[in-house]
PDB file of all heavy atoms in Angstrom:
ATOM      1  N   ASP A  60      -7.275  -7.729 -42.946  1.00  0.00           N
ATOM      2  CA  ASP A  60      -7.769  -8.287 -44.229  1.00  0.00           C
ATOM      3  C   ASP A  60      -8.620  -7.281 -44.973  1.00  0.00           C
ATOM      4  O   ASP A  60      -8.403  -7.097 -46.197  1.00  0.00           O
ATOM      5  CB  ASP A  60      -8.582  -9.520 -43.959  1.00  0.00           C
ATOM      6  CG  ASP A  60      -7.675 -10.768 -43.506  1.00  0.00           C
ATOM      7  OD1 ASP A  60      -6.483 -10.659 -43.739  1.00  0.00           O
ATOM      8  OD2 ASP A  60      -8.267 -11.676 -42.950  1.00  0.00           O
ATOM      9  N   ASP A  61      -9.540  -6.645 -44.269  1.00  0.00           N
ATOM     10  CA  ASP A  61     -10.422  -5.664 -44.917  1.00  0.00           C
ATOM     11  C   ASP A  61      -9.596  -4.422 -45.302  1.00  0.00           C
ATOM     12  O   ASP A  61      -9.947  -3.756 -46.267  1.00  0.00           O
ATOM     13  CB  ASP A  61     -11.557  -5.265 -43.984  1.00  0.00           C
ATOM     14  CG  ASP A  61     -12.573  -6.378 -43.853  1.00  0.00           C
ATOM     15  OD1 ASP A  61     -12.475  -7.326 -44.699  1.00  0.00           O
ATOM     16  OD2 ASP A  61     -13.349  -6.385 -42.951  1.00  0.00           O
ATOM     17  N   ALA A  62      -8.587  -4.134 -44.513  1.00  0.00           N
ATOM     18  CA  ALA A  62      -7.810  -2.880 -44.829  1.00  0.00           C
ATOM     19  C   ALA A  62      -7.114  -3.053 -46.203  1.00  0.00           C
ATOM     20  O   ALA A  62      -7.007  -2.116 -46.932  1.00  0.00           O
ATOM     21  CB  ALA A  62      -6.801  -2.663 -43.737  1.00  0.00           C
ATOM     22  N   ARG A  63      -6.597  -4.251 -46.437  1.00  0.00           N
ATOM     23  CA  ARG A  63      -5.911  -4.430 -47.791  1.00  0.00           C
ATOM     24  C   ARG A  63      -6.856  -4.218 -48.935  1.00  0.00           C
ATOM     25  O   ARG A  63      -6.433  -3.794 -49.992  1.00  0.00           O
ATOM     26  CB  ARG A  63      -5.250  -5.876 -47.786  1.00  0.00           C
ATOM     27  CG  ARG A  63      -4.027  -5.963 -46.913  1.00  0.00           C
ATOM     28  CD  ARG A  63      -3.321  -7.286 -47.163  1.00  0.00           C
ATOM     29  NE  ARG A  63      -4.031  -8.413 -46.592  1.00  0.00           N
ATOM     30  CZ  ARG A  63      -3.792  -8.834 -45.367  1.00  0.00           C
ATOM     31  NH1 ARG A  63      -2.917  -8.208 -44.597  1.00  0.00           N
ATOM     32  NH2 ARG A  63      -4.506  -9.831 -44.843  1.00  0.00           N
ATOM     33  N   ARG A  64      -8.119  -4.529 -48.717  1.00  0.00           N
ATOM     34  CA  ARG A  64      -9.081  -4.409 -49.778  1.00  0.00           C
ATOM     35  C   ARG A  64      -9.570  -2.888 -49.834  1.00  0.00           C
ATOM     36  O   ARG A  64      -9.816  -2.424 -50.912  1.00  0.00           O
ATOM     37  CB  ARG A  64     -10.326  -5.269 -49.542  1.00  0.00           C
ATOM     38  CG  ARG A  64     -10.001  -6.754 -49.487  1.00  0.00           C
ATOM     39  CD  ARG A  64     -11.257  -7.586 -49.486  1.00  0.00           C
ATOM     40  NE  ARG A  64     -11.041  -8.965 -49.065  1.00  0.00           N
ATOM     41  CZ  ARG A  64     -11.248  -9.372 -47.846  1.00  0.00           C
ATOM     42  NH1 ARG A  64     -11.693  -8.548 -46.931  1.00  0.00           N
ATOM     43  NH2 ARG A  64     -11.026 -10.644 -47.520  1.00  0.00           N
ATOM     44  N   ALA A  65      -9.720  -2.296 -48.675  1.00  0.00           N
ATOM     45  CA  ALA A  65     -10.332  -0.978 -48.641  1.00  0.00           C
ATOM     46  C   ALA A  65      -9.426   0.128 -49.051  1.00  0.00           C
ATOM     47  O   ALA A  65      -9.872   1.172 -49.555  1.00  0.00           O
ATOM     48  CB  ALA A  65     -10.813  -0.674 -47.245  1.00  0.00           C
ATOM     49  N   GLY A  66      -8.079  -0.079 -48.934  1.00  0.00           N
ATOM     50  CA  GLY A  66      -7.133   0.933 -49.386  1.00  0.00           C
ATOM     51  C   GLY A  66      -7.063   2.084 -48.480  1.00  0.00           C
ATOM     52  O   GLY A  66      -7.014   1.972 -47.182  1.00  0.00           O
ATOM     53  N   LYS A  67      -7.068   3.317 -49.017  1.00  0.00           N
ATOM     54  CA  LYS A  67      -6.804   4.578 -48.214  1.00  0.00           C
ATOM     55  C   LYS A  67      -7.810   4.688 -47.057  1.00  0.00           C
ATOM     56  O   LYS A  67      -8.982   4.491 -47.242  1.00  0.00           O
ATOM     57  CB  LYS A  67      -6.974   5.757 -49.143  1.00  0.00           C
ATOM     58  CG  LYS A  67      -6.561   7.075 -48.502  1.00  0.00           C
ATOM     59  CD  LYS A  67      -6.634   8.188 -49.435  1.00  0.00           C
ATOM     60  CE  LYS A  67      -6.280   9.537 -48.794  1.00  0.00           C
ATOM     61  NZ  LYS A  67      -6.305  10.638 -49.809  1.00  0.00           N
ATOM     62  N   GLY A  68      -7.317   5.056 -45.931  1.00  0.00           N
ATOM     63  CA  GLY A  68      -8.174   5.251 -44.753  1.00  0.00           C
ATOM     64  C   GLY A  68      -8.373   4.001 -43.923  1.00  0.00           C
ATOM     65  O   GLY A  68      -9.006   4.086 -42.879  1.00  0.00           O
ATOM     66  N   ALA A  69      -7.911   2.852 -44.469  1.00  0.00           N
ATOM     67  CA  ALA A  69      -8.198   1.612 -43.717  1.00  0.00           C
ATOM     68  C   ALA A  69      -7.411   1.536 -42.393  1.00  0.00           C
ATOM     69  O   ALA A  69      -7.935   0.987 -41.433  1.00  0.00           O
ATOM     70  CB  ALA A  69      -7.827   0.393 -44.587  1.00  0.00           C
ATOM     71  N   THR A  70      -6.229   2.104 -42.328  1.00  0.00           N
ATOM     72  CA  THR A  70      -5.420   2.049 -41.122  1.00  0.00           C
ATOM     73  C   THR A  70      -6.167   2.801 -39.978  1.00  0.00           C
ATOM     74  O   THR A  70      -6.200   2.278 -38.843  1.00  0.00           O
ATOM     75  CB  THR A  70      -4.066   2.679 -41.325  1.00  0.00           C
ATOM     76  OG1 THR A  70      -3.371   1.977 -42.354  1.00  0.00           O
ATOM     77  CG2 THR A  70      -3.225   2.620 -40.082  1.00  0.00           C
ATOM     78  N   THR A  71      -6.750   3.943 -40.296  1.00  0.00           N
ATOM     79  CA  THR A  71      -7.448   4.667 -39.288  1.00  0.00           C
ATOM     80  C   THR A  71      -8.635   3.855 -38.832  1.00  0.00           C
ATOM     81  O   THR A  71      -8.947   3.743 -37.628  1.00  0.00           O
ATOM     82  CB  THR A  71      -7.943   5.971 -39.865  1.00  0.00           C
ATOM     83  OG1 THR A  71      -6.800   6.735 -40.261  1.00  0.00           O
ATOM     84  CG2 THR A  71      -8.753   6.767 -38.804  1.00  0.00           C
ATOM     85  N   ARG A  72      -9.428   3.200 -39.788  1.00  0.00           N
ATOM     86  CA  ARG A  72     -10.545   2.462 -39.436  1.00  0.00           C
ATOM     87  C   ARG A  72     -10.151   1.212 -38.572  1.00  0.00           C
ATOM     88  O   ARG A  72     -10.876   0.784 -37.620  1.00  0.00           O
ATOM     89  CB  ARG A  72     -11.295   1.942 -40.648  1.00  0.00           C
ATOM     90  CG  ARG A  72     -12.096   3.089 -41.326  1.00  0.00           C
ATOM     91  CD  ARG A  72     -13.116   2.538 -42.249  1.00  0.00           C
ATOM     92  NE  ARG A  72     -12.579   1.754 -43.386  1.00  0.00           N
ATOM     93  CZ  ARG A  72     -12.082   2.315 -44.526  1.00  0.00           C
ATOM     94  NH1 ARG A  72     -12.087   3.638 -44.617  1.00  0.00           N
ATOM     95  NH2 ARG A  72     -11.605   1.545 -45.448  1.00  0.00           N
ATOM     96  N   ARG A  73      -8.955   0.683 -38.845  1.00  0.00           N
ATOM     97  CA  ARG A  73      -8.477  -0.459 -38.034  1.00  0.00           C
ATOM     98  C   ARG A  73      -8.256  -0.010 -36.556  1.00  0.00           C
ATOM     99  O   ARG A  73      -8.664  -0.704 -35.640  1.00  0.00           O
ATOM    100  CB  ARG A  73      -7.142  -0.992 -38.568  1.00  0.00           C
ATOM    101  CG  ARG A  73      -6.555  -2.039 -37.679  1.00  0.00           C
ATOM    102  CD  ARG A  73      -5.208  -2.488 -38.187  1.00  0.00           C
ATOM    103  NE  ARG A  73      -4.695  -3.542 -37.339  1.00  0.00           N
ATOM    104  CZ  ARG A  73      -3.622  -3.576 -36.691  1.00  0.00           C
ATOM    105  NH1 ARG A  73      -2.781  -2.522 -36.750  1.00  0.00           N
ATOM    106  NH2 ARG A  73      -3.195  -4.521 -35.890  1.00  0.00           N
ATOM    107  N   ARG A  74      -7.624   1.120 -36.433  1.00  0.00           N
ATOM    108  CA  ARG A  74      -7.382   1.635 -35.060  1.00  0.00           C
ATOM    109  C   ARG A  74      -8.724   1.903 -34.329  1.00  0.00           C
ATOM    110  O   ARG A  74      -8.869   1.518 -33.201  1.00  0.00           O
ATOM    111  CB  ARG A  74      -6.613   2.958 -35.076  1.00  0.00           C
ATOM    112  CG  ARG A  74      -5.138   2.765 -35.556  1.00  0.00           C
ATOM    113  CD  ARG A  74      -4.386   4.016 -35.137  1.00  0.00           C
ATOM    114  NE  ARG A  74      -3.048   3.997 -35.775  1.00  0.00           N
ATOM    115  CZ  ARG A  74      -2.735   4.719 -36.847  1.00  0.00           C
ATOM    116  NH1 ARG A  74      -3.610   5.482 -37.429  1.00  0.00           N
ATOM    117  NH2 ARG A  74      -1.505   4.637 -37.380  1.00  0.00           N
ATOM    118  N   ARG A  75      -9.680   2.427 -35.094  1.00  0.00           N
ATOM    119  CA  ARG A  75     -10.960   2.717 -34.442  1.00  0.00           C
ATOM    120  C   ARG A  75     -11.713   1.511 -34.023  1.00  0.00           C
ATOM    121  O   ARG A  75     -12.235   1.395 -32.947  1.00  0.00           O
ATOM    122  CB  ARG A  75     -11.812   3.554 -35.370  1.00  0.00           C
ATOM    123  CG  ARG A  75     -11.371   4.993 -35.585  1.00  0.00           C
ATOM    124  CD  ARG A  75     -12.172   5.682 -36.612  1.00  0.00           C
ATOM    125  NE  ARG A  75     -11.756   7.089 -36.778  1.00  0.00           N
ATOM    126  CZ  ARG A  75     -12.123   7.839 -37.736  1.00  0.00           C
ATOM    127  NH1 ARG A  75     -13.010   7.371 -38.700  1.00  0.00           N
ATOM    128  NH2 ARG A  75     -11.719   9.139 -37.890  1.00  0.00           N
ATOM    129  N   ALA A  76     -11.675   0.493 -34.949  1.00  0.00           N
ATOM    130  CA  ALA A  76     -12.410  -0.767 -34.613  1.00  0.00           C
ATOM    131  C   ALA A  76     -11.750  -1.489 -33.429  1.00  0.00           C
ATOM    132  O   ALA A  76     -12.431  -1.931 -32.581  1.00  0.00           O
ATOM    133  CB  ALA A  76     -12.361  -1.678 -35.879  1.00  0.00           C
ATOM    134  N   THR A  77     -10.366  -1.576 -33.460  1.00  0.00           N
ATOM    135  CA  THR A  77      -9.675  -2.272 -32.361  1.00  0.00           C
ATOM    136  C   THR A  77      -9.891  -1.533 -31.026  1.00  0.00           C
ATOM    137  O   THR A  77     -10.195  -2.175 -30.033  1.00  0.00           O
ATOM    138  CB  THR A  77      -8.228  -2.345 -32.666  1.00  0.00           C
ATOM    139  OG1 THR A  77      -8.041  -2.916 -33.969  1.00  0.00           O
ATOM    140  CG2 THR A  77      -7.498  -3.124 -31.641  1.00  0.00           C
ATOM    141  N   THR A  78      -9.843  -0.218 -31.096  1.00  0.00           N
ATOM    142  CA  THR A  78     -10.007   0.558 -29.838  1.00  0.00           C
ATOM    143  C   THR A  78     -11.396   0.421 -29.304  1.00  0.00           C
ATOM    144  O   THR A  78     -11.609   0.255 -28.119  1.00  0.00           O
ATOM    145  CB  THR A  78      -9.687   2.003 -30.101  1.00  0.00           C
ATOM    146  OG1 THR A  78      -8.367   2.138 -30.550  1.00  0.00           O
ATOM    147  CG2 THR A  78      -9.840   2.855 -28.788  1.00  0.00           C
TER     148      THR A  78
END
Side-chain angles (χ1 to χ4, degrees):
D60 287 343
D61 288 345
R63 284 191 286 271
R64 301 189 196 98
K67 187 176 180 180
T70 301
T71 300
R72 286 197 297 277
R73 173 184 183 237
R74 290 196 189 101
R75 288 174 179 169
T77 306
T78 301

